[in-house]
Amino acid sequence: MSAELPIKLLIVAAAGGLGSAITRQAVSAGYAVSVLVRSEEGLAERLKSAEAAAGITKVFVGDASDPTVLSGVLQKGGFDVVGVAVGAQSRAVVENAIAQVAAADPQPALVMTGGSPALAMEDGSSAVTGAFGGAEWAQSLRDMHVGITFAALQ
């Protein structure tokens, strides 16, 4: 019996608060983790783990709201899952991720976490500040978001 290959995971916004937590856990769990970040500078410090930074398969640098950037990353990666870990203020990134993943062939699964799922709200408001009473309260839910993200990957 042959060993299963690890899930190929792209994490968009991997150096932020939630993204770095997801990246650390994904590397630790044995996923083949690639990341898309705005800057590679200081990535290990932002991830708060030299081991996690060393375990990343590929680092892509660019603006995730740019269709050309994200499309190019998806074409190069052959990912099984794309995880988007941006806040509710990043509507352009979320809309671009949805469009580019929908157009990808083969099409990876798309997992939205953090404040990004709130961007489906048509009035432009942030669910974090509008519905949940502010970012400090939502920040305390980081572990729950990470757990939900990994439950979706299982």
Side-chain angles (χ1 to χ4, degrees), residues 29-54:
Y31 293 104
V33 178
S34 295
V35 299
L36 175 57
V37 293
R38 284 180 278 186
S39 171
E40 193 171 356
E41 186 177 332
L43 184 58
E45 291 81 23
R46 290 191 310 249
L47 290 175
K48 300 179 179 120
S49 169
E51 293 81 21

Side-chain angles (χ1 to χ4, degrees), residues 9-11 14-15 23 33-41 43-44 46-47 52-62 73 76 79:
L9 173 62
L10 172 66
I11 301 172
T23 300
V33 178
S34 295
V35 299
L36 175 57
V37 293
R38 284 180 278 186
S39 171
E40 193 171 356
E41 186 177 332
L43 184 58
R46 290 191 310 249
L47 290 175
I56 292 173
T57 305
K58 176 80 176 145
V59 176
F60 296 96
V61 177
V73 169
K76 292 175 188 170
F79 300 105

